[in-house]
Amino acid sequence: TLFAGIVQVFGYDSAMNRSRKILAAMVFLLALLCLVVWSVVWKEDREGLLTVAFLDVGQGDAILIDAPSGRQVLVDGGPADGGISRALGREMPWWDRSIDLVLATHPDADHSAGLISVLRRYRVDIFMRSSVSGDTPTWSLLLEEVVRTGSRVVVAERGHFDLPCHSGASRRRPSAAYRVYPRDRAPL
């Protein structure tokens, strides 16, 4: 059998001393660990593809964009009980607890209430919101959570902005603008 062949190759027999058995077990466990780590790495390789996942969060919307560079954008989070955390857990690697940009398109609870749990569970670098303000308790709670986590706040407004290109040039884009505020002076 295969096991008997391995035992003969390594010179192990039934009289193998205890330290050699421990060493053999450790080598086996190390090889198994290596196999598990590389299988996870292989599985998470996107092969340079942009992936867009439309998440099932019940009534409302949530979209996860995963760029080939590894940057992640979450657009909306669905309702508070929509299961955004479970949906992200199915799409993101188990060890990934950060999202580069979270975008709240508008203050309606069916789009933004789920973002509260996202901010509590994941490290969010940038929180982008529209210039439309909401006066609901859910929106206020979301903005308080943004302040608590220390995410940088970006407010998108109608107008123009310069979009930097990879070549160093810039293109003029109509009908969109953004302002980046320091963490301590963001208008929420």
Side-chain angles (χ1 to χ4, degrees):
T1 67
L2 178 61
F3 182 72
I6 292 172
V7 167
Q8 283 182 344
V9 167
F10 288 105
Y12 300 121
D13 58 6
S14 60
M16 183 183 348
N17 64 25
R18 183 173 168 84
S19 64
R20 292 186 88 175
K21 286 181 182 179
I22 292 173
L23 179 63
M26 290 181 68
V27 168
F28 175 75
L29 289 175
L30 185 61
L32 185 64
L33 178 66
C34 240
L35 181 67
V36 168
V37 167
W38 280 107
S39 69
V40 168
V41 168
W42 182 266
K43 181 182 175 225
E44 294 304 323
D45 182 23
R46 291 181 305 278
E47 298 177 359
L49 296 176
L50 173 75
T51 58
V52 179
F54 297 91
L55 306 177
D56 181 12
V57 293
Q59 179 183 348
D61 295 316
I63 301 168
L64 179 67
I65 302 168
D66 202 349
S69 64
R71 295 196 181 264
Q72 297 163 327
V73 176
L74 177 64
V75 180
D76 290 336
D81 58 353
I84 184 69
S85 295
R86 278 190 313 276
L88 288 173
R90 285 189 296 269
E91 297 297 329
M92 295 172 63
W94 60 269
W95 69 85
D96 189 358
R97 290 290 177 244
S98 67
I99 299 174
D100 297 295
L101 172 69
V102 168
L103 170 61
T105 58
H106 58 283
D108 292 352
D110 64 335
H111 288 259
S112 62
L115 294 177
I116 296 168
S117 65
V118 170
L119 287 164
R120 290 178 179 160
R121 182 175 204 139
Y122 295 91
R123 182 181 56 78
V124 174
D125 293 333
I126 301 170
F127 179 82
M128 181 181 272
R129 67 174 187 87
S130 70
S131 58
V132 176
S133 293
D135 57 358
T136 65
T138 302
W139 185 251
S140 298
L141 185 61
L142 173 62
L143 297 181
E144 288 172 13
E145 195 64 29
V146 170
V147 170
R148 188 192 66 76
T149 60
S151 298
R152 190 169 57 164
V153 177
V154 176
V155 179
E157 298 175 339
R158 180 180 286 175
H160 293 273
F161 73 100
D162 288 323
L163 178 66
C165 301
H166 290 292
S167 65
S170 69
R171 297 182 187 151
R172 197 80 169 153
R173 298 285 186 185
S175 300
Y178 68 91
R179 292 185 189 158
V180 178
Y181 296 95
R183 285 186 169 95
D184 59 341
R185 295 187 305 164
L188 295 175

